[in-house]
Amino acid sequence: MSENTPAATYGSYLKIDELLALQQPRSSGPEHDEMLFIIIHQVYELWFKELLHEFDHVMRLLEADESHRSQHTLKRILTILKVMVAQLDILETMTPLEFLTFRERLDAASGFQSDQFRQIEFLLGVKSEQATERFPDGSRARAALERRYHGITLWDAFLRYLSRERYDVPRSHLARNVIGPVEASPDIQRILIDVYRRDPKNAELCERLVDLDEGVQEWRYRHVKMVERTIGAKRGTGGSGGAEYLRETVGRPIFPDLWAIRSQL
Ligand code: HEM
């Protein structure tokens, strides 16, 4: 620390004044419940940021063959995910009528437009060029999404790691086009069955990936239930069919091979 830099305080280090100035309701009054709505979304965005930070770390650890440390980081990710699911309880204390007091002031704003949520999806293999193009050229969000769109997914990092662990992962998987979806593969399933039967260290890693997959599905399920109880079958502010659209995203596995092998073990 240079002599001229003042010592950090809680307020200066965490930028509390700036943070507390970021909640700006749009409803007149403003309506009481809008504060909760803003804060909960901002908290989610912060958790998304932390998740991306941890996912990037897991990928680097897998690339460095640090299986133990990648499991440790995955456990942190899963704990955050649990908190994120639990937080939906808070928003469910808001009744449909309370939401209606300010809903029209949201215009087209919707979690649908969260670039960090899309970044997480991209990293997990759910990629879409259309989702990238929704953000203006040159924006932070567009640059981040383009980078993740062309980057490898967590599953790719895992398969490459398995290959270095001397599993016979076919080249077509190691050098696959990373833009495409992660598809189920009998070749990979055979390898995974071998891992589960004979390799407890890597089987444990697989189980953490299943936890992650289940955790994301759990969030999607709880979110759609919250949407159903708050707005019923109305269209979303983001322009989709609302709950109907969201229901299609629930139950779609991120790592299909890890689910497929369960019935073969
Ligand atoms: C009263 C509370 C909420 C309602 C009624 C609601 C409603 C909706 C609806 C209808 C959609 C579909 C897209 C659209 O047309 O808008 C959606 C998508 C989404 N919402 Fe919410 N939401 C709520 C709270 C939240 C919260 C707290 C988060 C946390 C960040 C969130 C994150 C998302 C995300 C990430 C999507 C995109 C999902 C996807 O495309 O798979 N929502 N929401």
Side-chain angles (χ1 to χ4, degrees), residues 18 37 85 112 147 243-244 258:
E18 291 89 330
F37 191 78
V85 171
F112 193 63
R147 186 170 63 80
E244 192 189 2
L258 282 172

Side-chain angles (χ1 to χ4, degrees), residues 21-135:
L22 295 177
Q23 295 71 42
Q24 294 164 10
R26 286 169 58 92
S27 59
S28 52
E31 291 295 343
H32 179 79
D33 286 63
E34 193 176 356
M35 183 62 86
L36 171 67
F37 191 78
I38 293 173
I39 287 180
I40 204 141
H41 279 86
Q42 289 183 340
V43 168
Y44 268 109
E45 286 296 328
L46 288 176
W47 282 131
F48 290 157
K49 181 171 183 175
E50 173 62 15
L51 280 186
L52 287 163
H53 184 60
E54 299 294 345
F55 273 127
D56 285 337
H57 192 48
V58 169
M59 306 271 272
R60 281 193 299 270
L61 290 170
L62 282 173
E63 275 158 29
D65 298 329
E66 298 252 24
S67 120
H68 188 76
R69 290 179 67 206
S70 35
Q71 279 197 51
H72 175 71
T73 306
L74 274 171
K75 270 193 93 168
R76 178 177 295 171
I77 288 175
L78 295 166
T79 311
I80 295 171
L81 205 49
K82 288 253 175 264
V83 168
M84 288 171 63
V85 171
Q87 273 178 198
L88 289 171
D89 287 348
I90 307 173
L91 207 47
E92 283 186 341
T93 65
M94 184 177 70
T95 68
L97 288 180
E98 283 167 343
F99 185 41
L100 282 175
T101 60
F102 62 90
R103 188 184 190 215
E104 63 181 28
R105 301 306 311 269
L106 301 179
D107 298 332
S110 161
F112 193 63
Q113 296 156 343
S114 165
D115 74 276
Q116 292 201 106
F117 180 80
R118 296 292 166 222
Q119 286 189 56
I120 293 170
E121 283 195 323
F122 283 18
L123 198 140
L124 296 176
V126 185
K127 296 186 181 182
S128 144
E129 199 161 16
Q130 224 186 348
T132 306
E133 285 163 0
R134 280 194 209 109
F135 297 91

Side-chain angles (χ1 to χ4, degrees), residues 142-184:
R142 177 75 172 251
L145 280 167
E146 277 173 359
R147 186 170 63 80
R148 299 220 182 256
Y149 186 73
H150 295 288
I152 66 166
T153 72
L154 180 57
W155 186 245
D156 297 308
F158 175 65
L159 290 186
R160 290 175 190 194
Y161 160 80
L162 274 187
S163 159
R164 289 189 305 272
E165 288 279 284
R166 306 202 186 292
Y167 286 97
D168 195 15
V169 180
R171 249 208 85 62
S172 57
H173 286 273
L174 297 174
R176 78 174 189 106
N177 178 1
V178 294
I179 290 165
V182 173
E183 314 252 24

